[in-house]
Amino acid sequence: MKSRKPRVVVVGAGFAGLRAVRQLARNPVEILLIDRNNYHTFIPLLYQVATGFIAPEQIAYPLRRVLRRIPNARFLMAEANYVNFDRRVVETDVVNVEYDYLIMATGARTRFLEVEGAARYSFGLNTLEDAVRLREQILRCFEEAEHQSDVDITQQLLTFTIVGGGPTGVELAGAVVDWVQGTLCRNYSISAPVRVILLQSGDRLLAGFPEGLSRYSNRQLSRRGVRVHFQTRVRSVAPTGVTLEDGTTIETATVIWTAGVEAHRPDTTAEVPTATQKKVVVRSTLQFPEHPCAYGVGDLAYVTQDGEPLVGVAPEALQQGTTVAANIKRQLQGRAPLTFDYFDKGRAAIIARNAGVAYLFNKISVRGFFAWFLWLGIHLYYLPGFSNRWLVLVSWIRDYLTKYRAILHIFGFKKITLSNNLKDKKI
Amino acid sequence: MKSRKPRVVVVGAGFAGLRAVRQLARNPVEILLIDRNNYHTFIPLLYQVATGFIAPEQIAYPLRRVLRRIPNARFLMAEANYVNFDRRVVETDVVNVEYDYLIMATGARTRFLEVEGAARYSFGLNTLEDAVRLREQILRCFEEAEHQSDVDITQQLLTFTIVGGGPTGVELAGAVVDWVQGTLCRNYSISAPVRVILLQSGDRLLAGFPEGLSRYSNRQLSRRGVRVHFQTRVRSVAPTGVTLEDGTTIETATVIWTAGVEAHRPDTTAEVPTATQKKVVVRSTLQFPEHPCAYGVGDLAYVTQDGEPLVGVAPEALQQGTTVAANIKRQLQGRAPLTFDYFDKGRAAIIARNAGVAYLFNKISVRGFFAWFLWLGIHLYYLPGFSNRWLVLVSWIRDYLTKYRAILHIFGFKKITLSNNLKDKKI
């Protein structure tokens, strides 16, 4: 029976998984890519979907279109529930799949840190659905605020609270402020000021960047109207607001949780060793310690470089995808897998219109217009799909010139309910 | 208290309602537009959203963008539940709104003709949500069919049954066939033939067109693989298929119901006289018989022209929107409203790639490439929004040249469940 080509099963079509599939194209293996969605999500632009820049289709690339050009790959839309290392089987909600080599690349999900109410009442920003829900929530708050007669409820509806001062929190805060000032305040007649609040547990924003860039980010956000609070931890989240550790309460209808992620992966036969954020500790070759034919890559894997853990950005995942594909090819040829070696070209974050920060090759700090432009260029380059790239570019140019973002739709294909009881309304 | 300008409340932002708002712009009235969605849906292109041509945003125009240029108009996103003609109040799910003049333009919804199971198990095509759900259903069927080992279930999944041989049914049948042959069969490895079945209760398609065009439509669809059945009525719809009046059963996972619509409107204080399809009988001036300050337009109104009822197409609604705005202006000046007079430029339907039919000025029959091109041109011209027009044109050209439609996403933001129990699967 075993006359067929070895089968490589890739679970997760994020940056790492998809790169591995592409690198294994036209090799003597049969590839099966499994994902719960039939598209690849370009996560770095999620915040732009959440703030009306671009439509969700533009950062969601259909996997069947990718695989059409890879004759030795197939796709299975399924949720992987369990990995049986002993029998080499991935159990999904539709079928069980045998593998010869396994690449686990199921990524991360929002980590709510066991804060009471956070998982239930706050919005995450990890999936395309999160992004669309958040956009619709913000728009609904404006729709509601316009015909609200109670001043307190209006202020609650127009207060947007972001928890977490990492890149996602900073990018989102800036994008929300730009959106509100450029588009929403032109379209809605609202009687209260819009408040965007950014809560950071540490004493600076963008902890992964040099301190000068952190200070610059704070100045830029503050100047644009974001209220940044440092050393502030959230104790609980309720439908009407957040309570901080010092007991103060912020009345807010929208809480966006960007304070960290944790590995999100199927259960496995044997317990695998895990590190912080539930990440799986893999060997330096990215293999699971006890299972040399199974690899863990991307946000689910705990990988160190020069003694420091990787932080979970797209370039790390992409390079891991390349390494894991090379290692499987080596195993097929009877050679030993190689150690993963991350080449860090740098990191960048966008703050708002004309303002970004970048830290290149671990030594050069860049900020302002150039860093902003660099960020946009890099992400446009990496965005999959020619027409997506082109549509996103047109959206950006239009937004830049008109300060008006066109996507204002509340589809509500999945209904979200505003988290307060709105009464006493008249018009 | 009554020193303010008279308030015109427009309920429904379809073709008729939105046209009326535009015609009343910069007149001495205060306009309040109410719709349950915050966008206008360009209904004639719904079938293209359902078959992966274009993204939903491209035919959904945000109402706040329209109203931004109309200083005397405001928007309320709400569901109108009840109209109190005596107190001149529209009750919505968020506020109660007083009016001086009322334009009711809430349109139509799918009419399931009391066929057992039809409302529950079949897909409509009247709203943007319907269109997206249908697209995702068709794609899910292909995803499922690919790893299905039971031949009967595979065939059931790949059978798409359309009930109704009017323009919507014909356009959808042709678009599904083109989509399946051009895109889906290139992207999915499926083992059974795809069947598209069109069930028509009468003895010809497109009953509103001359017989020659009906025969042409039937030939075109049949040649492309659609199985057209005449004199066929559906007795019941179940999760696994439809049963016809003669007792035969079609095993099909997807039933699309296009066999007619009925008026969809809020309840009112007094019973209003209704005609077929629950339409409100209005005067020739479009006023409600007993309520001269209330108008009914579009698909909810029963209007006759030369003794024949209007059929419910966009040009009728648009012209009614113009008339009702003019009549309210006349009433404000103390003049009598004028009779609505429909100028019928003709009707057109698209069948499939390179094939359409048109009947112009009630005398000229056109078919084939020219009618197809005419249809596309007219709809592109009327599509609201410059960038939408441009994006749709690009999508059409790309589809025409590559025979590949790019929108293959199953977002599942609202989860739909496949209507059968799929078992016995392996891969």
Side-chain angles (χ1 to χ4, degrees), chain A residues 2 16 38 40 74 97 104-105 110 114 169 217-218 222 228 244 248 251 256 307 312 331 335 340 346 353 378 385 393:
Chain A
K2 270 269 188 176
N38 73 344
H40 165 78
R74 285 184 307 145
V97 181
M104 262 172 68
T110 305
E114 286 167 29
S217 306
N218 183 24
S222 302
V228 187
L244 307 179
T248 56
E251 301 268 314
I256 307 151
Q331 281 184 303
R335 296 192 289 163
F340 170 67
R353 201 179 171 77
I378 292 168
L393 180 62

Side-chain angles (χ1 to χ4, degrees), chain A residues 138-398:
Chain A
I138 295 171
L139 290 168
R140 263 180 215 278
C141 285
F142 275 84
E143 292 288 348
E144 285 276 353
E146 205 182 49
H147 58 79
Q148 182 56 245
S149 56
D150 183 307
V151 180
D152 292 339
I153 294 178
T154 306
Q155 187 58 78
Q156 192 182 24
L157 286 166
L158 295 177
T159 300
F160 303 95
T161 306
I162 298 161
V163 183
T168 307
V170 166
E171 287 170 352
L172 194 60
V176 169
V177 157
D178 280 352
W179 194 28
V180 166
Q181 290 169 358
T183 308
L184 301 181
C185 284
R186 278 198 262 169
N187 276 351
Y188 292 86
S189 321
I190 48 171
S191 53
V194 177
R195 297 191 300 176
V196 180
I197 298 170
L198 182 57
L199 306 178
Q200 165 68 318
S201 58
D203 56 3
R204 64 184 180 105
L205 301 174
L206 302 176
F209 289 73
E211 279 204 46
L213 297 181
S214 299
R215 282 194 302 272
Y216 172 79
S217 306
N218 183 24
R219 274 202 311 278
Q220 283 293 327
L221 286 181
S222 302
R223 182 191 297 169
R224 286 157 206 260
V226 178
R227 304 173 189 206
V228 187
H229 297 272
F230 294 103
Q231 306 280 15
T232 306
R233 284 173 182 279
V234 172
R235 187 196 289 162
S236 66
V237 181
T240 51
V242 292
T243 304
L244 307 179
E245 287 222 325
D246 65 6
T248 56
T249 304
I250 300 169
E251 301 268 314
T252 175
T254 308
V255 179
I256 307 151
W257 196 269
T258 71
V261 293
E262 62 186 19
H264 182 45
R265 60 183 172 82
D267 286 332
T268 49
T269 24
E271 262 312 302
V272 288
T274 54
T276 56
Q277 299 172 290
K278 297 189 184 171
K279 288 186 176 186
V280 178
V281 179
V282 292
R283 291 193 217 170
S284 63
T285 54
L286 307 176
Q287 288 164 297
F288 277 77
E290 307 289 320
H291 310 286
C293 291
Y295 289 82
V297 288
D299 279 353
L300 76 69
Y302 180 82
V303 179
T304 56
Q305 178 85 6
D306 308 327
E308 289 287 308
L310 296 183
V311 292
V313 293
E316 294 165 3
L318 289 168
Q319 292 181 33
Q320 288 177 20
T322 302
T323 297
V324 77
N327 281 350
I328 288 173
K329 288 184 227 169
R330 290 179 67 90
Q331 281 184 303
L332 288 169
Q333 295 159 353
R335 296 192 289 163
L338 296 177
T339 292
F340 170 67
D341 186 28
Y342 177 52
F343 176 58
D344 186 1
K345 284 181 262 189
R347 57 194 66 168
I350 204 158
I351 300 166
R353 201 179 171 77
N354 295 336
V357 293
Y359 186 53
L360 306 175
F361 306 110
N362 273 315
K363 51 181 176 247
I364 307 162
S365 286
V366 186
R367 67 190 204 192
F369 181 85
F370 177 71
W372 172 83
F373 196 79
L374 185 72
W375 190 98
L376 294 175
I378 292 168
H379 286 85
L380 200 63
Y381 176 80
Y382 277 102
L383 183 69
F386 173 77
S387 67
N388 285 342
R389 224 171 275 161
W390 184 78
L391 290 171
V392 166
L393 180 62
V394 170
S395 299
W396 286 352
I397 291 172
R398 186 168 59 181

Side-chain angles (χ1 to χ4, degrees), chain B residues 305 310-311 313 315-316 319 341-347 359-362:
Chain B
Q305 178 86 5
L310 296 183
V311 292
V313 293
E316 294 165 2
Q319 292 180 32
D341 186 27
Y342 179 52
F343 176 58
D344 186 2
K345 284 180 264 189
R347 56 193 67 167
Y359 186 54
L360 307 175
F361 306 108
N362 275 316

Side-chain angles (χ1 to χ4, degrees), chain B residues 173-185:
Chain B
V176 169
V177 156
D178 280 353
W179 193 28
V180 166
Q181 290 168 358
T183 308
L184 301 180
C185 285

